[in-house]
Amino acid sequence: MESKLAAPTLAVSPLLTAALLCASLTTEWGASLCYVALVPFAYALIAPSVPRATYAAAYLAGLAVHLVSMSWLLDCYRYEHAIGPYAVQWFWIGTWGGFLLVAALALGRIITARWRLPATLLLPMLWVTYEFVRHEMADLVTGTGFPWLKLGTSLVDTSYFVQVADLGGEYLLSFLVVMINGALVDLAMLLAVSEKRSRRQGRIAATLVSTLTVLLALGYGYWRTNQSPGSAGPSVVLMGELDLPPLLQDERISAATNGRHADLLLWPEMAYHHTVIDIDHDAKAGGVSHHAISQVSMVHDIEDNKARRYLLQSTNELGSTLVIGCERIHITSEGSRRYNSLACVDPEEGYQGCYDKVNLVPGAEAAMQSAELFDASNFAYSRGQDLGIFRLTSKTATYRFAPAICYDLCFGKHFRSVSAENVDFLVQSGAEGQDDSGDIAWLMLRYARLRAVENRRALVRNA
């Protein structure tokens, strides 16, 4: 009778995990379900035997999690249409996610049969590997990776657990929350199942280790949250897309700061109506600049440097540093490249340069590295190569800050690289109005909070 009851339960256990994962990854009210979301899946991992239907259920579970949690892709640039242009990407992400979860289940059962590891050890190692492989496999196709659906991001709203992100980022958060799932399974097995003494001792030891780890994480979080936040930084004003040079109104800025001086004005992504053009000296000497850019019909911008002139005029009049989203064209003797950029101008130093977006949205801003089936657009920017660090001089101090644009926010490696340069704070500009559902804005705010904790830096964003 026990086996007859166990077989149907095992067959549907991945589907129950899928429902819990969808709630924890896509809603605020369901975030706390991350502590139990993988318990049904872990049950299928450590069971002595499972019916074949369990693998079919694992595929459907992976498919459902990816399709439901990534459904915001259908709203991107949808406008009056029923679905957006990324429906093909959305479908293939779900299909690929289903196969990966089946592979994780099969690998986990092989490890269980060979070594009989406690779920407290097996589950976090397996799941974090699953998240890492999924990211790296996507990198081969997209050139950026798959930063979404990491279970550890569900801890962003917790006060203490999230603080360990500065030690290991999202993967450490995922390891922590999945370890709790595994410990619950081991505890249930200890209470409900009679096992060999050696196996019970292993489960008891693993449960004790997980309990100690959780207590250490909570203690570390308590210590971090009770640290001094540091000294006050510069005053920042978030500008709208209509607040543009040379039409800036000092009254608008004064109202935003309650009459205080604004040290930094920050615009959203691609807010500027003029293209910033940089020409290498060798291109000027060779007289090839006009020819190199003739395809974009911006010769007049080269001749009078209109974009920079307006920015410099505004920064001098206001006495504030300006960081504004724009399109940049870089002209060399070999031709021109177009970038999605943030330009920075300063009253003292003038034009500091641009940060060019490194992590471009696959299929929208950059072509895929492979699999043309994914490509939703023929229009592409070039990928930025350097991490920009700008300076801001206020009346009391000089600060160094690092910019990022939209999708950059999803990649912890990007921010860890600039934080290593001892910047004082981070800024991020985005454009999230293409999604009517608001899901993108909610997800990106989650990532913004995570990056601030992960890097121990204040982060200001305008999206």
Side-chain angles (χ1 to χ4, degrees):
M1 175 65 77
E2 183 179 351
S3 61
K4 291 181 180 180
L5 290 175
T9 304
L10 286 168
V12 301
S13 58
L15 296 176
L16 179 56
T17 281
L20 295 172
L21 283 175
C22 288
S24 64
L25 291 169
T26 61
T27 65
E28 291 185 25
W29 60 263
S32 59
L33 293 175
C34 67
Y35 300 112
V36 297
L38 295 181
V39 168
F41 181 76
Y43 178 48
L45 281 178
I46 65 175
S49 63
V50 295
R52 291 182 179 179
T54 305
Y55 290 94
Y59 174 78
L60 293 176
L63 178 72
V65 169
H66 287 78
L67 291 184
V68 172
S69 301
M70 299 297 294
S71 61
W72 51 266
L73 279 174
L74 300 177
D75 289 312
C76 290
Y77 301 105
R78 179 170 59 88
Y79 303 123
E80 73 276 7
H81 304 289
I83 57 175
Y86 301 127
V88 174
Q89 289 189 38
W90 172 76
F91 171 77
W92 282 107
I93 286 171
T95 303
W96 164 64
F99 283 120
L100 283 179
L101 193 59
V102 172
L105 176 62
L107 177 61
R109 288 198 54 76
I110 291 173
I111 295 174
T112 299
R114 189 177 182 104
W115 289 292
R116 295 292 182 182
L117 294 177
T120 305
L121 298 179
L122 172 64
L123 192 60
M125 290 189 297
L126 181 68
W127 194 262
V128 172
T129 300
Y130 164 75
E131 291 185 347
F132 178 79
V133 170
R134 181 176 61 184
H135 180 95
E136 295 303 314
M137 285 181 65
D139 186 43
L140 297 177
V141 177
T142 66
T144 57
F146 187 81
W148 314 105
L149 309 189
K150 292 185 174 69
L151 190 57
T153 59
S154 299
L155 297 178
V156 167
D157 294 326
T158 63
S159 298
Y160 298 145
F161 276 144
V162 71
Q163 302 300 323
V164 303
D166 66 348
L167 300 177
E170 296 135 299
Y171 289 119
L172 181 57
L173 289 175
S174 289
F175 190 94
L176 178 63
V177 72
V178 177
M179 185 186 65
I180 294 173
N181 280 257
L184 292 175
V185 173
D186 282 332
L187 183 60
M189 296 295 288
L190 285 171
L191 296 176
V193 179
S194 297
E195 294 182 306
K196 294 180 180 179
R197 182 177 179 182
S198 60
R199 194 172 299 169
R200 288 182 63 84
Q201 288 176 340
R203 293 193 191 280
I204 292 172
T207 304
L208 291 175
V209 168
S210 66
T211 302
L212 178 61
T213 303
V214 168
L215 292 175
L216 288 174
L218 289 172
Y220 181 80
Y222 178 80
W223 171 65
R224 278 298 195 184
T225 54
N226 283 278
Q227 286 183 315
S228 169
S231 58
S235 59
V236 181
V237 176
L238 305 183
M239 308 299 290
E241 291 189 351
L242 298 180
D243 301 313
L244 295 172
L247 306 175
L248 291 174
Q249 297 181 354
D250 192 31
E251 295 81 6
R252 151 86 170 86
I253 300 169
S254 297
T257 60
N258 292 323
R260 292 185 300 149
H261 173 73
D263 295 312
L264 173 65
L265 307 182
L266 176 65
W267 277 265
E269 178 184 8
M270 284 293 182
Y272 203 26
H273 296 169
H274 301 282
T275 300
V276 173
I277 299 173
D278 291 321
I279 309 174
D280 285 356
H281 179 73
D282 57 349
K284 288 182 178 180
V288 298
S289 57
H290 287 197
H291 172 72
I293 204 170
S294 60
Q295 69 271 24
V296 292
S297 302
M298 291 187 178
V299 173
H300 61 284
D301 274 354
I302 298 176
E303 292 173 342
D304 65 9
N305 215 356
K306 181 191 301 182
R308 285 212 216 160
R309 179 159 50 84
Y310 287 163
L311 292 175
L312 291 171
Q313 175 184 341
S314 296
T315 192
N316 289 327
E317 289 179 355
L318 298 170
S320 304
T321 299
L322 278 56
V323 175
I324 188 166
C326 64
E327 179 181 85
R328 182 177 86 98
I329 293 180
H330 183 203
I331 303 173
T332 69
S333 58
E334 298 177 353
S336 63
R337 287 181 176 271
R338 178 184 282 106
Y339 297 94
N340 181 350
S341 302
L342 282 177
C344 179
V345 293
D346 182 84
E348 295 187 5
E349 302 186 33
Y351 176 64
Q352 292 192 34
C354 284
Y355 161 73
D356 302 319
K357 189 175 181 181
V358 173
N359 299 288
L360 300 178
V361 178
E365 296 174 317
M368 299 285 186
Q369 290 189 357
S370 60
E372 292 184 1
L373 182 61
F374 283 81
D375 195 5
S377 173
N378 293 322
F379 182 80
Y381 289 107
S382 297
R383 297 181 189 276
Q385 301 298 322
D386 299 322
L387 301 173
I389 297 178
F390 298 143
R391 292 171 300 281
L392 184 155
T393 302
S394 71
K395 295 180 179 179
T396 57
T398 298
Y399 303 94
R400 301 172 79 244
F401 65 95
I405 301 175
C406 196
Y407 194 44
D408 286 330
L409 193 62
C410 302
F411 297 90
K413 181 180 178 181
H414 175 92
F415 285 87
R416 287 193 297 272
S417 298
V418 295
S419 294
E421 301 297 325
N422 294 320
V423 296
D424 296 297
F425 64 98
L426 309 167
V427 302
Q428 182 247 344
S429 293
E432 298 160 10
Q434 71 273 23
D435 171 29
D436 293 336
S437 69
D439 290 337
I440 291 180
W442 180 77
L443 284 169
M444 297 302 278
L445 182 58
R446 251 188 173 185
Y447 276 103
R449 298 177 69 180
L450 178 60
R451 297 297 165 237
V453 173
E454 186 179 11
N455 295 277
R456 295 292 157 194
R457 303 287 192 282
L459 187 151
V460 57
R461 67 189 296 258
N462 188 348

